[in-house]
Amino acid sequence: MNSGTQKKIVVGVDGSESSKCALRWALKQAALTGAVVQAVTSWEFPAFYSWEGGPMPPDDFEQAAQKSLDDTVDEIELEPGPAVPIQRELTHAHAAQALLDAAADADLLVVGSRGHGSFYGALLGSVSQRCAQHANCPVVIVRH
């Protein structure tokens, strides 16, 4: 739990509709509890990428993730709703580990039920499932 006086809600953002719903939910909860929201996006090199070269230069992966984070937060901030501070964090890591690390001192972790993963029939994605099993704080999984 957050040992400071400011409450913190960490929310996973990957540009998917599910993560946008999670961010909206986190903002409403933050308005009720006086918390700050930390929107976290992570990026990794895809499995098919090699150091000899791939479809995109290495910096492009990070830039694409930053754009996704910024576009998503900017979109949600324009919607009517509570004015809550949103901190943005971009991390080079697996999504679940990035969220677990960011939420190590958080009061709450909020994730969408399923993001941009490939197994669309699942009720829970692998990231949300791992967060629910391993987070040090309560986890809310928001369904789209």
Side-chain angles (χ1 to χ4, degrees):
M1 292 293 239
N2 188 355
S3 60
T5 58
Q6 178 71 53
K7 294 180 181 182
K8 179 171 85 168
I9 298 174
V10 171
V11 59
V13 175
D14 68 1
S16 68
E17 285 305 313
S18 184
S19 76
K20 290 176 185 179
C21 290
L23 182 55
R24 288 182 192 104
W25 192 95
L27 289 170
K28 290 175 187 171
Q29 183 65 21
L32 293 172
T33 61
V36 65
V37 170
Q38 182 177 351
V40 176
T41 296
S42 68
W43 67 278
E44 293 183 283
F45 293 109
F48 61 85
Y49 188 82
S50 71
W51 287 110
E52 290 83 37
M56 292 172 40
D59 290 344
D60 287 355
F61 292 108
E62 183 176 8
Q63 291 170 0
Q66 184 68 56
K67 181 173 177 11
S68 175
L69 173 62
D70 290 339
D71 288 351
T72 300
V73 172
D74 291 347
E75 175 186 333
I76 301 303
E77 284 182 325
L78 289 174
E79 296 177 358
V84 173
I86 303 175
Q87 301 169 350
R88 301 171 195 214
E89 180 182 326
L90 179 66
T91 305
H92 178 206
H94 181 274
Q97 193 59 53
L99 290 170
L100 292 169
D101 290 346
D105 66 343
D107 297 287
L108 187 64
L109 173 58
V110 182
V111 293
S113 60
R114 158 176 83 60
H116 278 308
S118 59
F119 189 52
Y120 292 112
L123 293 175
L124 284 182
S126 60
V127 172
S128 56
Q129 186 171 18
R130 184 169 167 199
C131 288
Q133 292 173 337
H134 299 288
N136 291 329
C137 64
V139 177
V140 172
I141 300 172
V142 178
R143 292 201 41 144
H144 174 60

